[in-house]
Amino acid sequence: MKRFEFKDALYIKKGKVLPVANEEREHIGFIEKVDISGCEKGHGFTFTDNDGTTVAIGIQKRGIKNLLAATYLIKTTNETYTLKDKVGNSLLYFCVEGNIDGKNIRVEENWSKEVEVKVDHTHIATIRPADFSFHTIILVEDNLCESSILFAVVVLMYFMYKIYKNESEFIEDILFD
């Protein structure tokens, strides 16, 4: 597996750039916080690789009907994809499913508090969220290209996971305090 990492922050402001580096500490792209049309303010991010290709992800604006289950919009230059919280599972742990370029994708939290990404039931990546060092580590299969949309989605799903964790902690505090 190939290893990538970036230094996270407690709060990312618009305009702040988080470089993503490979095992040799070479920057392969960067992450930015952005506003995305049709998405909740403050819940949009982009990954831009060294070739200038940008993939954006954000949480679609929610209403009463979809308050508990988020829809994630993924935008490239030519396409828009959607992933959704798996109803039922998302109340207990982070679990997102959808389809990108005809491939089924599933992103879910495991018992070790890591996030696993599976495409067509094959494990392709593991995201190890930042600890006290604030270094987030991403392990991906050797055949996953850094300029692919799937790689960008893997990198960006970390931020959707962070938003989910913050919101679920908030709801838990309200319910159990």
Side-chain angles (χ1 to χ4, degrees):
M1 294 191 104
K2 296 186 281 189
R3 178 186 163 120
F4 300 89
E5 67 179 57
F6 59 89
K7 190 166 176 106
D8 194 8
L10 285 176
Y11 178 76
I12 302 169
K13 296 185 288 189
K14 275 195 241 171
K16 180 174 173 114
V17 173
L18 300 176
V20 178
N22 62 15
E23 292 172 290
E24 289 81 37
R25 304 261 188 244
E26 301 166 329
H27 291 181
I28 55 117
F30 60 91
I31 302 160
E32 284 184 288
K33 187 174 193 173
V34 295
D35 286 330
I36 301 171
S37 173
C39 292
E40 294 178 356
K41 200 171 196 81
H43 291 161
F45 295 87
T46 60
F47 174 74
T48 305
D49 67 20
N50 286 342
D51 295 333
T53 304
T54 298
V55 175
I57 190 169
I59 299 175
Q60 187 175 22
K61 289 181 181 174
R62 294 179 256 194
I64 298 295
K65 289 182 180 179
N66 59 355
L67 188 61
L68 294 176
T71 298
Y72 305 88
L73 294 180
I74 300 166
K75 295 184 177 192
T76 66
T77 306
N78 302 321
E79 297 285 334
T80 299
Y81 305 96
T82 58
L83 303 177
K84 294 183 178 198
D85 280 344
K86 186 165 194 262
V87 179
N89 295 44
S90 66
L91 295 174
L92 304 172
Y93 64 97
F94 184 71
C95 187
V96 176
E97 294 183 318
N99 191 292
I100 296 176
D101 287 336
K103 297 177 181 170
N104 291 321
I105 185 167
R106 183 178 175 112
V107 183
E108 67 183 324
E109 183 178 10
N110 66 21
W111 290 104
S112 301
K113 303 277 186 220
E114 298 173 332
V115 179
E116 295 180 351
V117 181
K118 295 176 183 169
V119 174
D120 291 334
H121 305 288
T122 302
H123 182 268
I124 64 158
T126 301
I127 304 165
R128 292 190 179 143
D131 55 12
F132 297 111
S133 70
F134 287 105
H135 275 86
T136 297
I137 297 168
I138 299 173
L139 303 170
V140 300
E141 288 297 324
D142 292 333
N143 60 353
L144 187 62
C145 178
E146 292 91 33
S147 60
S148 71
I149 185 171
L150 285 176
F151 180 83
V153 168
V154 168
V155 170
L156 295 172
M157 284 309 291
Y158 166 72
F159 296 95
M160 301 301 104
Y161 173 70
K162 256 178 79 166
I163 291 167
Y164 167 85
K165 292 304 269 184
N166 287 338
E167 289 178 354
S168 63
E169 284 176 17
F170 176 74
I171 291 169
E172 190 175 296
D173 288 345
I174 290 172
L175 293 175
F176 299 110
D177 275 353

